[in-house]
Each structure stands twice: as C-alpha cells, then as structure tokens.
Amino acid sequence: MRPLLLDPLFAPLDTLSGIGPKAGELYARLLGRESIEECRIVDLVFHAPYSLIDRRQQPGIANAPQGAIVTIKARVDRHHPPPPGRNNNPYRVFLHDDTGELALTFFRVKGNWLEKALPVDETVIVSGKVDWFNGRPSMVHPDYMVRESEAENLPLVEPVYSLTAGLSARLLRKQIEASLQRVPAFPEWQDAALTAKQGFASAHEAFLQLHEPRDAADIDPQAPARRRLAYDEFLAGQLSLALVRQRLRKVAGTPVHATGRLSRPVLDALPFSLTGSQSAAIKDVLADMAGDKRMLRLLQGDVGSGKTAVALMSMLAAVESGGQAVLMAPTEILARQHFATLSKMAAPAGLTIDLVTGRTKGRERDAIQERIASGETHIVIGTHALFQDSVIYSNLLLAVVDEQHRFGVHQRLRLTAKGISPHMLVMTATPIPRTLVLAAFGDMDVSKLTEKPAGRKPIQTVTIPDERVGDIVERLRAAVAEDKKAYWICPLVEESENSDLMSADERFQILKSSVGPRIGLVHGRMNGAEKDAVMLAFKNGEIRVLVATTVVEVGVDVPDATIMVIEHAERFGLAQLHQLRGRVGRGDEASTCILLYKGPLSESGRARLSILRDTEDGFLIAEEDLRLRGEGELLGTRQSGTPGFRIASLDAHGDLLEIARKDAAYILEKDPELTSERGQALRTLLYLYRRDEAIRFLRAG
C-alpha cells in the first residue's frame, strides 16, 4: 500500500482547478503520458525548470541593451491607439524616465484595458525584452506591467520550463505552485552522515528550491537541491534493482559443470577461432554457473563481435550438465535467425533444437511442447512465447536473453514466478557506457566483447548531402548490376503532410523505377509473415536492394550485403546509426555506409556524423552518444526497465550513482525486508519515484 502521506501527490492532475479536458491533453503531452488519466500531481513537481529569467536588471530606458530582458520604472505620457477601423496597426503607449522615452507596442488590442492598466501620468513598472529601431527603444507586449504601488507582485527571478504548443508559461507556473503546496514533510530516508557530507537539504526543501531558483547557480545540475533529488532518484533505482536481485538470489541456482563433451566437437568444427574476449567471457560464464548462486551476467558486444558463439558455449555447458537452455529474442525475425545460426553451429554436437514463437500453432506446437517437457529438446529458441504457462521445462538450467533492454527487469522475474531458477545471461549489441549499465542493470555482472572476429573487414563510412542523392542512386544501379546487395534506410513508413522527410514507401517507388524491379520494402506496420517473406527474399538474393525503416536495426544477418544507405542520417541517434551500419561488413567483402543528410546540420548533428565517420568502436560511440543525447534517449526512455531520469543526469551526477549503488547494497544487507525506521522511509522513497514494483517482491518473498 502506498503511504497515506503521498496521496495528495498521487491525486489525478485534473483535480487541480483549471485543468479541464482540453488543457489536460496539453499537460499529458508535456509530461510524456498517453492521456490526462495517467498524469499525477507529482509529475508537475518533477517537471524541473531548465533556465531562469532575471528581471533584476534596471538600467534605465536609454541604457537598456538590445535584446535584453529589463525592468523599467517610468511615467506614462500618452496613448496612441490605431486609427478607427485599422485594428491591424499597433497600439502604442509612450513612457519616460530620467534617461529617455520608451514605446510599449501592442497588437490586436480589444476594449479599453490598456487605458486602465497604464493610466496617463501614473508611474508604472514594466518588464520585458527591449528592441532598438532607428535609435528608439521599444518593448513589444511586456511580460509584466504593474503600478508602482503593486511592485511586490512583480517576480524578479522567474524559472523557465519546457512547454508544449498551446500551454502558456504563466498557466504552467501557476499549476506547479499549486502542486508544490501538496509536497509533504517526508521522513528522512538518507543516511545522516551522507547528508552532512554532501550538504543535502531535506527532500521537501529540495523540491521547493528546485522550483524557486534565485540565480543561475540554482539551475546548474550541481546546485545542492538538484544533487539531493538526483541522489534520491538514483537510490530509488538502485534499491529497486537490488531488491529484484535479492529476490532472484533467494532461489539458489543449480551448479552447472561443463565437461567439454559437446563443446569440443563444436569448437573444432567452427570455421574461425574464438577471440581473446570471447574466451574470457565464456570463462566468466562457466565460473558463475559452476557455483550454487544463480548467474546474472550481462554480455555486451558490439555488432558482429561474436555474442552468439559465447551464448552457444554457455548453452552447451547446461546440456552437458544434464539440463536444458533457452534463448529468448525480442522479435520473430531475430528468433528465426538465431535458430538457423545455432542449428548450423551446434550440428556436430547432435542436439535437438526447437523454435517456439507466437506463430507456432496447433499440432506442431503440441509436439514441440511435449519434447520440451520430456527433456528430448536440449535447446529452445523463441520469443517471449517461451515463458507462457503452457510451456513446461524438464530441467531448465540456463536462460539467454537477447537485446536485454527490450525486455526489462520484471520480465526476468516471470521465470522465477514459474518456480524455475535458471542461470541468466543477457546479451545486448547496444554498447552501454558503464554508468548506464549501473543505472539500468545495477543487478548484473558484466562481460564485454571488445574485438571483432577474424576476417571482418572495416566499413568505410562517408557523409553526403542529400542534393547528391542522384549520384548514390547511380552507384546503386551499378552495384545491383554486379549482383551486390544494399540496404536503404528511411526514417518514416509513409509521407505525412507535416514532414519533409523521405518516406520508405516513396523511396521504394523511386528506386523501383530507376534501379529495377529487384527491390523489396519492409517496415514495422507489416505483419511478421510479410516481413519474414521479404527478408528471406533479400537473404536468398531474389531482392537486391532492401528499402526499410529501422526494423532491420537489430539482428538480421545477410553476410553478402555490402552497402548501407541511411537517409536523413541527422535524424537518428548515434547508437542507432552504429547498429544500422553493423548490418553490413559481415562477410569477406569490403563494405560502405553512406550517411545522407539534409543541411544545414546542427552542432550536435555534425558531431554525431563525424564521430561515426571516424570510428567503428561501439563503446566509444556509446560514450559520445550519452554525452550528446542523455541516457533516456540512448536506451529509449519509454522502454521497460530503463532509466528515464527526471532530475538525475548520468553525465552531471555520475559520482552519486556509485555511492547510491553501495548504499543500496548496505541497506539490504542490514535490513533486507526494509522494516527498520529508515527502511520504512525508503519504502516511501520507492513509491515516490514509482519504483513500487520492487516492494511487491518484498511481500512475495
């Protein structure tokens, strides 16, 4: 149960006066929620300002700098309304102080409200941006106008928030002030020694300071209030991950002892020898599985670094120990590809390998489930259909999860819920910086594959402005004539009126007419069977050019594809561009990646493309991506189990993350059920940061 103390913060946002259905849609968009029903008052409390307006500058009219926001105290001289019937003309009010004259300019003025707000001969205070024309200063639609007697109503320092079209800054500020009144005095969940050392205020005080900056230093990520809230957010995340780990660890693992009976013939038959980092990763995995604690290991390997071989050796060890192994992939295309690759690689071991996806139906499904339940099937490959209640395992010792960040922490627990406690190896081809691994997967040991297998050729990457797209099409036509294969990636499926991006559909039609008929199209709106058919035709060579959206980003293996064209490359994130590039260069031919961009490029757009041009090191690229775009983007904030931080930033607060991880481990060692006074306060913290999933594990345990 959520503590009663938090109820005012978790009341629906539309219980605040002034937020009706129409405004509700705007707030939902601003806060990244599907609808106003999902928005809570606490969401506004977490909506931090990113800048501030300082109205303390009062230089006098003649000394007001061009384009600056200033506050002017002056006397009203005269009103110049537009001539009758000419309402398009501006309405001007002239004021003066000791230094000179200022024109206030207003458009589309209705009624006589200006005469009431700015009476002639009255001293007023106005604040806004000053523009100079022909040596005369003017202020268009001042932000504030008050009489001298009401000066205290003028906010001299004002926070600036990100907005959405249709929502005014003043309205948002009013609702944030109303939300702040609901922030209670929280019990202190932080360690007293840490708060003293870091100079942290209370959480209640920190929220108030967050929204009432006094100067630029208060907006800085290193401001004390922001550091306090960032640490709270990290601790909530690390504590919930540690609770999940504690829960997973409660069920002891079954020791797996590799004998080499199956792995030796497989290794001998491989057409390549393992790299140093592959051998090291296999050693880590086998050492983990030999113990009686469950393995929880993250295997990070760049595109084409050979994660599949590590997964296979791990699964063979489980089978050698008399058990079964599963490999779960996020999409059907990827599951089928793993099935094809592993069946071929594992052939010398003479194992039974089965494939289970949502499309496995009827008798075929029944037969496979029977083989799995009897133990006849050694290795099962599939999508999350593997974890459905109808699938019963004979002796599941290892689960390998591919592209971990597409599943999330809580899907890992579905296995435990079935009373099965396999060792777990999760793999990702998205190289994740260490700080982000800690934030998203704090509960895991990590192995990295840092070398490319022998024989992999470097990929030449070039950036080309889209005016030269005709040259690329010509080059493609020549390549197809030589039986080469190419990808052409577009950011959209079909053209929309409010976007000037080239859609996949449109590009497909253009290439078909200029390059010839051997062109296929694949995008996310097609169903699984349609996508598979096109991908298969591309793999088999019936199709030579595949036009696609980013559905090909993960997995698909076409070793003889040597050209990758990415249109509107400036619209993609670095990690995503790197993933897409990794679809080529998988065979023994030299490959090229062409990044087509629409100029002029922004500063970060130029930085992204040049990093990609200069390096193929996925880990270096991931670090740069984190620096340029932030952690939410890198993993896709909305994906389950990933950290879309609201206050914390890995870049600015990385030092606090390590402290939070150690603190979380210490807390659970001393108080595993969170029953002490601090433990109870920490439960409040978990609910506040919406990490209450973890509290359910406490009860379930």
Side-chain angles (χ1 to χ4, degrees):
M1 286 286 290
R2 186 172 56 224
L4 293 173
L5 174 82
L6 295 179
D7 283 355
L9 283 178
F10 281 84
L13 190 61
D14 53 9
T15 54
L16 291 176
S17 72
I19 301 185
K22 203 169 175 186
E25 283 176 31
L26 300 177
Y27 281 99
R29 195 184 317 148
L30 176 73
L31 299 167
R33 305 267 175 212
E34 291 291 311
S35 65
I36 187 63
E37 284 75 36
E38 286 184 27
C39 298
R40 297 287 173 265
I41 287 171
V42 72
D43 294 328
L44 276 186
V45 174
F46 280 119
H47 189 66
Y50 67 88
S51 175
L52 58 76
I53 294 172
D54 189 342
R55 301 189 186 282
R56 290 174 294 198
Q57 192 178 352
Q58 301 188 23
I61 292 171
N63 306 318
Q66 160 62 27
I69 289 177
V70 298
T71 300
I72 301 286
K73 181 171 153 186
R75 199 170 183 81
V76 180
D77 287 334
R78 60 196 185 282
H79 283 244
H80 273 201
R86 304 281 292 280
N87 286 347
N88 285 347
N89 288 16
Y91 186 126
R92 288 197 170 87
V93 180
F94 292 90
L95 330 169
H96 78 274
D97 68 5
D98 295 343
T99 69
E101 185 176 67
L102 174 71
L104 304 183
T105 306
F106 303 87
F107 293 93
R108 297 191 190 84
V109 174
K110 290 194 171 79
N112 62 348
W113 69 274
L114 273 177
E115 289 161 20
K116 288 180 178 167
L118 299 166
V120 172
D121 287 340
E122 182 91 41
T123 298
V124 295
I125 296 172
V126 294
S127 188
K129 191 171 101 179
V130 169
D131 287 305
W132 286 79
F133 297 103
N134 300 328
R136 292 163 180 253
S138 135
M139 193 182 280
V140 179
H141 285 275
D143 301 329
Y144 289 94
M145 307 185 300
V146 296
R147 300 184 188 202
E148 190 180 18
S149 57
E150 299 159 3
E152 72 278 359
N153 295 341
L154 179 76
L156 289 177
V157 178
E158 225 180 336
V160 180
Y161 297 92
S162 55
L163 292 166
T164 188
L167 190 62
S168 80
R170 207 171 289 189
L171 270 178
L172 175 63
R173 177 66 187 162
K174 187 177 154 209
Q175 298 298 6
I176 286 176
E177 282 172 355
S179 304
L180 286 172
Q181 289 171 12
R182 309 267 188 120
V183 176
F186 299 104
E188 185 52 82
W189 44 69
Q190 296 299 3
D191 175 61
L194 179 81
T195 50
K197 187 179 175 188
Q198 293 283 341
F200 286 157
S202 70
H204 176 271
E205 198 52 46
F207 278 118
L208 297 185
Q209 288 172 11
L210 178 73
H211 292 282
E212 286 164 16
R214 303 312 311 145
D215 53 43
D218 294 340
I219 292 290
D220 190 276
Q222 300 305 337
R226 288 189 181 235
R227 277 181 68 80
R228 157 79 209 220
L229 296 173
Y231 188 74
D232 284 352
E233 192 163 18
F234 281 151
L235 185 61
Q238 291 301 304
L239 193 55
S240 76
L241 286 167
L243 282 165
V244 170
R245 180 174 195 146
Q246 175 179 278
R247 171 86 169 127
L248 288 174
R249 293 280 198 224
K250 269 189 181 165
V251 191
T254 308
V256 166
H257 300 294
T259 63
R261 179 174 58 87
L262 302 171
S263 58
R264 212 165 292 117
V266 171
L267 279 171
D268 291 344
L270 286 180
F272 52 84
S273 52
L274 298 177
T275 65
S277 52
Q278 278 176 311
S279 299
I282 292 166
K283 197 173 157 196
D284 287 343
V285 169
L286 297 183
D288 283 0
M289 291 200 295
D292 53 7
K293 281 192 168 166
R294 294 176 64 193
M295 171 176 75
L296 268 179
R297 185 167 283 279
L298 177 69
L299 176 64
Q300 284 188 267
D302 210 342
V303 176
S305 60
K307 293 184 297 297
T308 313
V310 176
L312 178 59
M313 292 303 133
S314 314
M315 293 194 284
L316 292 176
V319 181
E320 286 169 355
S321 209
Q324 294 166 300
V326 299
L327 189 155
M328 177 161 113
T331 64
E332 189 149 336
I333 277 186
L334 202 46
R336 288 180 182 281
Q337 185 180 296
H338 277 309
F339 179 64
T341 309
L342 290 169
S343 300
K344 197 166 146 192
M345 283 169 82
L351 301 179
T352 304
I353 301 182
D354 272 314
L355 176 71
V356 177
T357 71
R359 279 180 29 215
T360 318
K361 297 276 192 287
R363 281 186 190 164
E364 182 194 5
R365 190 182 185 93
D366 293 345
I368 291 174
Q369 286 184 359
E370 231 165 86
R371 290 201 292 273
I372 295 171
S374 71
E376 187 189 331
T377 296
H378 302 108
I379 293 175
V380 195
I381 294 165
T383 54
H384 44 262
L386 289 174
F387 295 158
Q388 284 167 356
D389 293 340
S390 56
V391 183
I392 312 277
Y393 295 92
S394 163
N395 180 21
L396 183 60
L397 292 183
L398 171 68
V400 181
V401 182
D402 196 14
E403 286 308 321
Q404 151 70 21
H405 65 275
R406 302 195 167 219
F407 293 109
V409 169
H410 305 302
Q411 269 152 314
R412 303 210 288 268
L413 285 151
R414 297 224 353 226
L415 277 173
T416 316
K418 292 181 74 167
I420 307 169
S421 57
H423 297 283
M424 216 166 257
L425 177 67
V426 291
M427 311 194 294
T428 178
T430 310
I432 309 169
R434 187 180 175 282
T435 45
L436 194 50
V437 169
L438 204 61
F441 315 110
D443 57 337
M444 292 198 170
D445 303 305
V446 181
S447 292
K448 276 185 182 180
L449 300 182
T450 50
E451 306 152 80
K452 282 208 168 177
R456 286 280 166 98
K457 294 271 196 316
I459 302 165
Q460 188 199 0
T461 304
V462 292
T463 50
I464 291 179
D466 63 359
E467 301 89 81
R468 289 180 49 203
V469 71
D471 301 351
I472 306 301
V473 174
E474 274 310 307
R475 190 171 156 189
L476 206 56
R477 199 187 345 229
V480 169
E482 292 171 20
D483 267 352
K484 296 241 190 335
K485 283 186 191 171
Y487 291 96
W488 191 299
I489 307 294
C490 302
L492 293 174
V493 178
E494 57 203 34
E495 202 179 4
S496 66
E497 285 177 19
N498 53 7
S499 172
D500 59 348
L501 300 183
M502 172 67 77
S503 74
D505 220 13
E506 200 183 343
R507 179 54 69 202
F508 171 66
Q509 301 301 343
I510 292 170
L511 290 177
K512 209 168 169 181
S513 62
S514 53
V515 176
R518 293 171 73 186
I519 291 191
L521 172 67
V522 62
H523 55 72
R525 292 208 197 137
M526 293 159 74
N527 67 37
E530 291 171 326
K531 270 191 265 192
D532 286 357
V534 178
M535 292 306 307
L536 195 64
F538 183 50
K539 205 175 167 83
N540 296 341
E542 296 143 43
I543 287 171
R544 287 282 155 191
V545 179
L546 183 67
V547 179
T549 54
T550 53
V551 290
V552 301
E553 177 190 343
V554 173
V556 192
D557 196 15
V558 182
D560 54 345
T562 55
I563 299 167
M564 166 65 73
V565 181
I566 304 173
E567 196 157 358
H568 283 290
E570 76 281 359
R571 295 295 184 108
F572 294 94
L574 251 179
Q576 199 175 28
L577 287 169
H578 179 62
Q579 285 276 334
L580 288 165
R581 173 170 66 180
R583 298 293 109 224
V584 296
R586 301 181 142 236
D588 41 20
E589 273 196 72
S591 297
T592 312
C593 175
I594 298 160
L595 304 173
L596 272 176
Y597 66 88
K598 186 179 173 68
L601 284 173
S602 67
E603 201 57 48
S604 85
R606 187 176 296 111
R608 278 210 297 278
L609 298 189
S610 68
I611 289 160
L612 209 72
R613 205 176 46 219
D614 298 342
T615 182
E616 275 190 68
D617 179 338
F619 290 99
L620 181 71
I621 285 169
E623 293 286 354
E624 284 300 313
D625 206 18
L626 180 63
R627 198 176 58 75
L628 289 170
R629 296 201 305 157
E631 59 280 348
E633 282 295 305
L634 191 56
L635 289 179
T637 305
R638 295 273 158 248
Q639 286 165 342
S640 58
T642 59
F645 295 118
R646 303 195 245 187
I647 308 286
S649 144
L650 292 179
D651 204 26
H653 306 123
D655 63 312
L656 295 175
L657 181 58
E658 188 63 52
I659 302 171
R661 187 177 70 90
K662 288 178 179 160
D663 198 8
Y666 171 77
I667 290 159
L668 291 187
E669 193 185 314
K670 295 276 179 239
D671 181 17
E673 296 297 320
L674 299 185
T675 49
S676 66
E677 191 181 341
R678 186 182 179 199
Q680 293 292 343
L682 285 162
R683 288 175 179 236
T684 305
L685 170 75
L686 289 169
Y687 276 106
L688 178 65
Y689 283 88
R690 285 197 169 95
R691 298 284 190 158
D692 36 310
E693 276 275 352
I695 292 171
R696 287 186 209 136
F697 302 142
L698 276 175
R699 287 204 294 276

